[in-house]
Amino acid sequence: MRIEDYALIGDMQSAALVARDGSIDWLCLPRFDSPSCFAALLGSERNGHWWLGPTGRRPATRRRYRPDTLILESEWDTPTGTVRVIDFMPPRDRNPDVVRIVEGVSGSVEMSTQLRVRFDYGRIVPWVRRTNGHLQAIGGPDSVWLHSPVPLKGGDYAHRATFTVNEGERLPFVFTWHPSHEPMPPQIECENQLGETETFWAEWVAKCTYEGPYREAVVRSLITLKGLTYAPTGGIVAAPTTSLPEDLGGVRNWDYRFCWLRDATLTLDALISSGYLEEAADWRGWLLRAIAGRPQDLQIMYGVAGERRLPELMLDWLDGYEGSRPVRIGNEAVKQLQLDVYGEVMNCLFTARTRGLWPDDRAWTIQRQLLDYVEDHWDEPDEGLWEVRGPRRHFVHSKIMCWAALDRAVKYVEQFDRVGPVEKWRTLRDAIHAEVCDKGFDAERNTFTQSYGSSELDAALLMIPMVGFLPVDDPRVAGTVAAIEKELMADGFVLRYPLAADNDVDGLPGGEGAFLACSFWLVEVMAMQGRKEEAKELFERLLTLRNDVGLLAEEYDPRYGRLVGNFPQAFSHVPLVHAARALS
């Protein structure tokens, strides 16, 4: 299956990827960042999967989400009839459940299913037994149950069944995880859970304030972003997957199942602008817990509950998606210095307050501590927005976001009667602005550059007018946008920065696709410049890259005409929402 052949289901604590042929090839339980029990996505079916579909195994004829929900419906037309499989994960009460309801639409269809449970990312073959007609798989701390209306027979370390579904019949299958030391949890009532899940999502979507011409795309993106929220804490993961490659067959494979401050703040900007303040409050609570302590200990990312240690390991028993190795879990970038996150955090909290989020004295105390750190470290080189694994540099975008942190602090004092050294902040803000305009601008080419002294460009420079560093009609902004369109556009999409043998900025071999966020940023800037028709044309071309159920990966690779990178990716769906609003 291609990356775009998958759909997402989830319960706002974990998520599964369902392939077009009816196979669940990725599922981590009980959390987004837990070891997987299905890992065929990064290896083979022997690393765990659960296939359910018409005998003969073929892609679904069509599939869709039920309107305004995360409930997936896949349909197959066969010579003997039509069958539908309804896949969803109910918002969790205690134990995570994956529900698959087989529904006969017309005629009579022979169905088959195959289940291989493999704990610890496909490494542990569990002990499987049958109890009161149900299958239980146990391995170490994990236990799962399959409640099936048809008996499954074991063989070759898998369990299989073949059965027939007739028009009007509905057969529910339920896959439930629990800690292996606990007794079997109560079995859920599938039809009730289906109704409650549909009601939950419909009520959530009803709060959306966006009513523009791209509502379908915006709502699907917002649902996806909500699905990436870890409900118990308010943390937001960047994606539910690890090691889906940015370059097919290459080494640019990273674990995105954690909470980046940057990605989370941008996600919240999209949610807040669409009417969702409750998520902002939950995330602010997560942030205050996660970063509690000394400001110099701030990390760019945390675990979903605020964990700080995210060691990067390589899983040598997995072959990787289409041979893209290594497969990584954890993320070494947790140790990086990325100064832009301070600006993103301050901007998000300021936006939330302007939209009506209630004040929090403890939050302001921590914000002031973050600002103290910015004062002392803004002039250092860092790894920047793109988490380069090459040498640290004075990235222009990082400096601009340090300016933004101080700018929002000044506005906090001016608009919300907060106490702080506002004159000192103003002075430093202006000093950073002057330095960036001096050292980060190439006057001969009339463009800002990726870093001080560099001749390279960076798509992150499109953020300059979006964060208010300079007005959109400033000649330097116009020159930068024009340079990016000329030098960073490939096949009609915006690259992050040039990748060439003489440019070692990220310290990694191989190429990559076009980061979709960068092209959406260009849409927003074009709209700000008054180039609405050009912006609309690019935006609608980007929408065609979504898969059949409206999801986007991190990148699009024009070389292969395929989505690449972790999937679905918050960093792609967030700027889609902002770009749609800019065009409305």
Side-chain angles (χ1 to χ4, degrees), residues 51-58 61-62 74-85 102-113 150 161-169 171:
W51 170 63
L52 177 62
T55 301
R57 194 156 182 179
R58 62 184 70 90
T61 308
R62 58 193 160 270
S74 305
E75 293 184 352
W76 287 262
D77 294 334
T78 75
T80 60
T82 297
V83 65
R84 177 184 299 129
V85 175
V102 179
E103 178 183 7
V105 178
S106 66
S108 179
V109 180
E110 183 179 87
M111 301 287 289
S112 296
T113 188
V150 296
T162 299
F163 58 97
T164 299
V165 60
N166 299 307
E167 181 177 343
E169 289 185 332
L171 303 177

Side-chain angles (χ1 to χ4, degrees), residues 516-536:
L516 294 173
C518 302
S519 296
F520 282 118
W521 292 342
L522 181 57
V523 170
E524 189 168 353
V525 172
M526 282 178 168
M528 294 173 68
Q529 290 179 319
R531 301 160 59 191
K532 286 293 183 72
E533 288 304 314
E534 292 177 83
K536 180 180 177 182

Side-chain angles (χ1 to χ4, degrees), residues 396 435-449 452 475-477 480:
V396 171
E435 181 179 293
V436 169
C437 292
D438 177 36
K439 297 182 178 181
F441 184 73
D442 184 336
E444 290 187 10
R445 296 162 62 206
N446 190 34
T447 181
F448 285 93
T449 59
Y452 290 175
R476 292 166 292 184
V477 172
T480 301

Side-chain angles (χ1 to χ4, degrees), residues 112-127:
S112 296
T113 188
Q114 176 173 276
L115 175 71
R116 277 192 174 96
V117 179
R118 296 292 185 269
F119 296 123
D120 194 24
Y121 301 104
R123 190 172 66 91
I124 295 177
V125 179
W127 173 47

Side-chain angles (χ1 to χ4, degrees), residues 12 68 198-208 219 221-227 271 276 278-279:
M12 291 157 292
D68 295 346
E198 187 165 17
T199 298
F200 168 85
W201 284 108
E203 291 179 348
W204 188 82
V205 168
K207 300 175 185 177
C208 177
V219 167
S221 291
L222 292 172
I223 290 173
T224 303
L225 296 173
K226 178 66 171 175
L271 290 169
Y276 294 99
E278 183 178 343
E279 284 73 12

